[in-house]
Amino acid sequence: MCVHFGNNAEDLEWVDAQLDKHPNMMVDVAARVPEIGRHDPEKVHAFFVKHQDRILFATDFQSYDRMTLGSGGNGPPPTETEAIDFFQKHWRWFETADRDFTHMTPIQGDWTISAIHLPADVLEKIYFGNASRLLAKPLAKLRGGA
């Protein structure tokens, strides 16, 4: 499991080549949608469809003594309204064809992203199915199953 889009969201071709080279490799998108969203949306759409069984939705959202929305910082903690906006922008990026909107993690930089409009079956895998498949056996063992 290579977190943060293989820690190379700026180089879509490299991540694609690594996924092709390593059939057991998976990536998540945690705290990297702002970078991935700067690529050509048609290329990103094709990438996500191609590797739909090996990409997991993740955000780096944290809630402990304060919330962190994808990236930390020294400023004031985010509000509940900002947390809702954070998730809505993720869904907008995955599910619509909107272009040039403000990304979800302003601390990472001041640019816009363009959405990739994935089909419902691909979204189901990225949002839930791939993580379920990845974690099913380990979770079953924890629960005393086979």
Side-chain angles (χ1 to χ4, degrees), residues 52-114:
Q52 62 186 281
D53 295 318
R54 300 169 63 201
I55 302 169
L56 280 73
F57 176 75
T59 64
D60 274 9
F61 177 92
Q62 300 173 47
S63 181
Y64 45 100
D65 59 333
R66 63 177 270 164
M67 280 191 300
T68 302
L69 304 179
S71 286
N74 295 327
T79 65
E80 186 173 319
T81 300
E82 290 169 324
I84 291 167
D85 183 60
F86 176 78
F87 282 102
Q88 286 175 336
K89 285 181 177 175
H90 277 87
W91 299 322
R92 182 180 181 187
W93 184 73
F94 280 107
E95 299 178 21
T96 75
D98 294 350
R99 296 291 182 253
D100 300 317
F101 60 94
T102 304
H103 66 82
M104 60 286 298
T105 314
I107 193 171
Q108 288 180 278
D110 184 21
W111 59 80
T112 61
I113 60 175
S114 291

Side-chain angles (χ1 to χ4, degrees), residues 18-41:
Q18 295 309 305
L19 286 166
D20 286 345
K21 183 178 178 181
H22 305 285
N24 66 335
M25 179 179 164
M26 298 180 85
V27 296
D28 74 25
V29 298
R32 294 304 182 263
V33 171
E35 287 85 7
I36 303 166
R38 295 187 338 173
H39 293 285
D40 176 312

